[in-house]
Amino acid sequence: MKRTLAAFAVVASAATFTTPAVAMEQELTMLELAVSNALTGVGVLDVDVMTLTVSQLAIIQNVLSSDAGDNEKARRIEAIIAR
C-alpha cells in the first residue's frame, strides 16, 4: 500500500512539473504560426520564424497589429529580423 501511494505521488509530481513546459511550448508554436501567417500577409516571405527569439516574435506581433501600412510593417519587421 505504501509503495502504491509513493508511486502515485511520484507520477503526480512529475505530471505537475511537465505540464507548464508543454503549455509554454504550445503557446510558442501558436505564436510562431500566427507570426508566420501574418508575415505572408504583409509580403515578408523569406523568414524562418523558428529561428527568431521569443522577444523578436513578440515585437513583430506588435508591429503586425499596429496601424501602419503593409510596406511600413514589412520595413520594420525586416529591421527587427536583421538585428
Side-chain angles (χ1 to χ4, degrees):
M1 180 74 162
K2 287 183 181 181
R3 287 186 184 176
T4 304
L5 290 175
F8 179 72
V10 169
V11 170
S13 65
T16 302
F17 292 120
T18 58
T19 301
V22 171
M24 286 191 309
E25 186 176 323
Q26 289 173 343
E27 289 175 4
L28 178 58
T29 301
M30 289 171 49
L31 178 59
E32 289 169 342
L33 287 171
V35 168
S36 180
N37 290 335
L39 289 177
T40 302
V42 294
V44 179
L45 305 173
D46 58 345
V47 177
D48 180 9
V49 293
M50 300 290 284
T51 63
L52 300 176
T53 66
V54 174
S55 177
Q56 286 174 311
L57 290 169
I59 294 167
I60 290 169
Q61 187 68 24
N62 285 339
V63 169
L64 291 168
S65 63
S66 72
D67 292 336
D70 287 349
N71 290 335
E72 179 63 18
K73 288 179 184 180
R75 189 188 65 74
R76 288 180 188 175
I77 291 166
E78 288 169 356
I80 293 164
I81 293 168
R83 291 186 206 167

